[in-house]
Amino acid sequence: MLFLTRLTQNCALHPHKTAIEFIHPQRSQVVSYSQLEARVQQTIGWLLSLGVQPGDRVALQLPKCLTFIYLHLAVMRLGAISLPLNPDYPQRELAYFLTDSGTTLFLADAAAQSHVAPVVAEMPASSQTIYLHPTRDDDFAARLDAAPAAVLPRLPADPHQTALMIYTSGTTGQPKGAEITHGNLTANLNALHQAWGWREDDVLLHVLPIFHVHGLVVALHGALHAAATTILLPRFVAAQTLETLMQRRCTVFMAVPTIHRRLVECPTAAACDLSHMRLLTSGSDRLPDDLFYRFQQTFGHTLLERYGMTETGMNLSNPLTGERRVGSVGLPLPGVEARIVHPETEELLPDGQVGELQIRGPHVFKGYWQMPGKTAAAFTPDGWLRTGDLGLRQPDGYFTLKGRAKDLIITGGLNVYPPEVELALADHPAVAASAVIGCPDPEWGERIVAVIVPQPGVTVTAAALREHCRQQLANYKVPRTILFVNDLPRNALGKVQKAQLRQTLCQK
Ligand code: MLC
């Protein structure tokens, strides 16, 4: 049964149960499963009245709120494609996502209208934009009340149809829209349900952004699929998170290492009793060993580390019962095949040897939106996804990651490809050359450092370069440190030797 069908069934079976409780200083709201279904139905009616068709790309650039969730579910129920966007994207990136996806309907935050309007002005006449006031409950409700009711329950039946598109950056070229089908979502949710023992009486505390796979699919869809309750916070704040975990007797929590570190370092951590909890997971970035142990000592819980990516959802996970091995991302989830191959020959490697991790299974995405070449390059001829991550398999089946074949930085659980930042820097007239590297950072995992060779005779400050990047890139991609050098170390082919830069500059 596809995820959305199961969710509709959950709504019928548990009408009075709380599906989502949104906690907000001004507009907290509790939504039962029957209210959720009613709202999604009304939203379908509204989208139909706007002419949304199956296959259309509907971009959602809204803050984390219930309106976002109704829209996201309704778009997918209609057979259209939900395209969640980070509200932090600057105009250049936003323009690319809307144009590349051929967005037919763009639902934007009215509070960001002055920022978004110049981008919208350049969009083709065939695409509509509607500004919503997601912070005013009556705004969306009034639109829904005015819309005709949807005639049919509207449930997608084709597992191969794209439900969700999320953009991922790449080592070269522009970001790519990963097409995730209804079948992909369902396969992954079934696997996680089984592996993590999701239960109807689970209460998930949700603090992550909902425009990424982690917060949207693993956490939110996971809880809805299980008919569990989600307590939704608009953003992560450490003390509030700990207080809410206790006060609402939450049983499940999912986060990235930066968040777990802020929790153990929170002044109220030592006084917290989280003994009622059953599952705390960590992902999107490597969980450092020291944090694994500190978390255990502070809260008496062993974090369950798992491994996934936008293109696949979750692949590997430490077990719910059994050994959660420090430094390991665990075993393949049910229905997932994982192997380690030689990075060049792609021959299977014996246990213990480091090679590229490849993944196969019904949860693996369909391909990159309108990029058949990049899609073909992502897979081996026999259908294994090349993850670009390096790792090894231990003889008892546990996998350990050992770095990346690709030039990638992970900061606070978010992926940043250095060429994107280098391209933005190259646009500045004072920059002759640049190299962007990730340096280890206790809070963020890695910190973005830009090494700049200025144009001869030109002076420029680090602050000016950061401001320039801020105009072109989402905030988390802006280098935190900018260093100036006379020359970059290059090999005989002229390629910048980043390993050498990391070695000499990361300590500074
Ligand atoms: C925020 N900032 C970041 C950042 N997040 N900088 C680098 N990396 C990040 N991840 C910037 C802010 O814009 C701000 O910039 C400054 O850092 C300080 O902000 P803050 O208030 O301390 O940050 P906060 O808003 O609390 O956010 C930190 C965070 C957030 C850790 C809560 O980054 C987060 O929610 N991360 C989770 C990301 C995630 O969901 N990843 C999943 C991807 S899916 P300035 O300039 O204004 O000071 C995936 C697949 C999988 O990877 O397997 O899960």
Side-chain angles (χ1 to χ4, degrees):
M1 186 191 301
L2 292 182
F3 159 57
L4 291 172
T5 311
R6 176 161 172 149
L7 173 55
T8 305
Q9 205 176 70
N10 287 345
C11 294
L13 288 171
H14 310 275
H16 306 299
K17 185 170 180 189
T18 299
I20 304 172
E21 178 178 351
F22 182 51
I23 299 186
H24 191 276
Q26 284 91 41
R27 48 192 182 95
S28 290
Q29 224 180 320
V30 179
V31 179
S32 69
Y33 269 96
S34 63
Q35 288 168 327
L36 175 67
E37 175 65 15
R39 273 295 185 229
V40 172
Q41 283 279 351
Q42 280 183 300
T43 309
I44 292 172
W46 181 64
L47 292 169
L48 284 171
S49 74
L50 295 171
V52 173
Q53 302 277 332
D56 281 358
R57 278 75 60 214
V58 180
L60 306 173
Q61 194 181 37
L62 299 169
K64 188 175 176 184
C65 62
L66 290 167
T67 302
F68 179 108
I69 295 172
Y70 302 145
L71 284 163
H72 165 68
L73 294 172
V75 167
M76 296 196 300
R77 286 263 296 261
L78 262 175
I81 301 173
S82 172
L83 170 56
L85 294 174
N86 185 343
D88 187 33
Y89 284 134
Q91 290 172 348
R92 196 180 62 99
E93 287 188 275
L94 177 63
Y96 173 78
F97 296 128
L98 296 178
T99 313
D100 182 72
S101 63
T103 287
T104 31
L105 175 62
F106 176 32
L107 299 168
D109 183 359
Q113 188 163 354
S114 59
H115 173 72
V116 165
V119 176
V120 169
E122 299 295 316
M123 284 168 67
S126 56
S127 114
Q128 292 186 66
T129 297
I130 295 181
Y131 293 101
L132 297 173
H133 292 272
T135 48
R136 291 205 332 241
D137 292 329
D138 53 335
D139 172 66
F140 193 58
R143 287 176 194 269
L144 296 189
D145 291 341
V151 192
L152 296 166
R154 293 272 177 181
L155 284 167
D158 179 3
H160 305 293
Q161 193 173 33
T162 304
L164 172 67
M165 189 149 94
I166 298 190
Y167 273 88
T168 68
S169 296
T171 39
T172 52
Q174 297 282 30
K176 311 177 284 277
E179 287 190 66
I180 301 157
T181 66
H182 290 276
N184 296 153
L185 290 176
T186 305
N188 213 218
L189 287 169
N190 285 336
L192 290 174
H193 196 90
Q194 196 182 327
W196 293 352
W198 270 107
R199 302 190 327 215
E200 281 173 22
D201 60 356
D202 271 329
V203 180
L204 166 81
L205 180 62
H206 193 299
V207 300
L208 291 165
I210 45 177
F211 44 81
H212 289 300
V213 158
H214 195 162
L216 185 64
V217 176
V218 190
L220 182 67
H221 289 186
L224 294 173
H225 176 267
T229 293
T230 299
I231 311 280
L232 199 74
L233 296 184
R235 62 183 294 265
F236 168 72
V237 179
Q240 184 194 17
T241 297
L242 290 176
E243 193 188 308
T244 313
L245 285 172
M246 289 191 289
Q247 209 182 55
R248 305 295 159 125
R249 300 199 64 76
C250 297
T251 59
V252 179
F253 182 69
M254 298 181 184
V256 301
T258 302
I259 289 180
H260 290 308
R261 192 172 293 280
R262 288 190 188 176
L263 291 181
V264 296
E265 285 173 358
C266 185
T268 55
C272 273
D273 177 5
L274 301 184
S275 54
H276 56 280
M277 296 196 68
R278 69 166 196 89
L279 176 64
L280 295 104
T281 71
S282 182
S284 309
D285 194 4
R286 209 187 78 77
L287 177 64
D289 294 3
D290 76 296
L291 182 56
F292 177 94
Y293 291 118
R294 266 186 84 185
F295 200 93
Q296 228 170 22
Q297 282 153 13
T298 312
F299 299 116
H301 281 285
T302 305
L303 284 169
L304 179 150
E305 187 175 5
R306 57 52 174 189
Y307 164 82
M309 55 196 289
T310 301
E311 287 87 339
T312 59
M314 300 302 98
N315 299 308
L316 306 166
S317 172
N318 275 279
L320 184 66
T321 50
E323 187 197 359
R324 295 184 191 171
R325 190 169 297 172
V326 65
S328 165
V329 286
L331 306 142
L333 284 164
V336 174
E337 291 177 90
R339 68 178 190 183
I340 301 290
V341 300
H342 189 281
E344 265 112 52
T345 64
E346 296 200 317
E347 273 165 36
L348 198 62
L349 289 177
D351 288 345
Q353 281 196 29
V354 176
E356 188 187 39
L357 171 62
Q358 297 191 338
I359 297 290
R360 195 162 67 172
H363 65 305
V364 177
F365 80 137
K366 178 157 124 182
Y368 296 113
W369 173 254
Q370 292 186 336
M371 290 186 178
K374 296 218 159 121
T375 302
F379 290 95
T380 67
D382 48 352
W384 291 85
L385 179 74
R386 303 177 167 124
T387 66
D389 285 313
L390 300 174
L392 60 82
R393 184 185 180 277
Q394 292 166 359
D396 58 2
Y398 280 69
F399 283 78
T400 303
L401 298 182
K402 292 283 179 195
R404 300 162 204 135
K406 295 179 197 160
D407 187 13
L408 164 72
I409 299 170
I410 306 184
T411 166
L414 295 171
N415 291 1
V416 180
Y417 284 88
E420 262 189 290
V421 186
E422 287 159 3
L423 224 64
L425 285 165
D427 258 6
H428 194 284
V431 174
S434 75
V436 169
I437 54 174
C439 286
D441 184 275
E443 182 180 2
W444 298 97
E446 282 180 301
R447 180 178 79 246
I448 303 179
V449 175
V451 189
I452 307 287
V453 181
Q455 291 286 3
V458 180
T459 36
V460 63
T461 62
L465 288 180
R466 276 172 52 84
E467 189 45 41
H468 167 80
C469 288
R470 214 179 280 279
Q471 299 302 318
Q472 309 209 29
L473 301 167
N475 241 350
Y476 66 91
K477 298 179 187 171
V478 175
R480 286 183 177 255
T481 308
I482 298 206
L483 301 171
F484 294 96
V485 295
N486 292 328
D487 274 314
L488 293 170
R490 293 181 189 270
N491 65 14
L493 299 171
K495 194 168 178 286
V496 176
Q497 292 179 294
K498 291 202 172 172
Q500 191 179 327
L501 279 179
R502 275 190 287 269
Q503 214 171 25
T504 51
L505 297 177
C506 282
Q507 321 310 332
K508 293 193 176 171

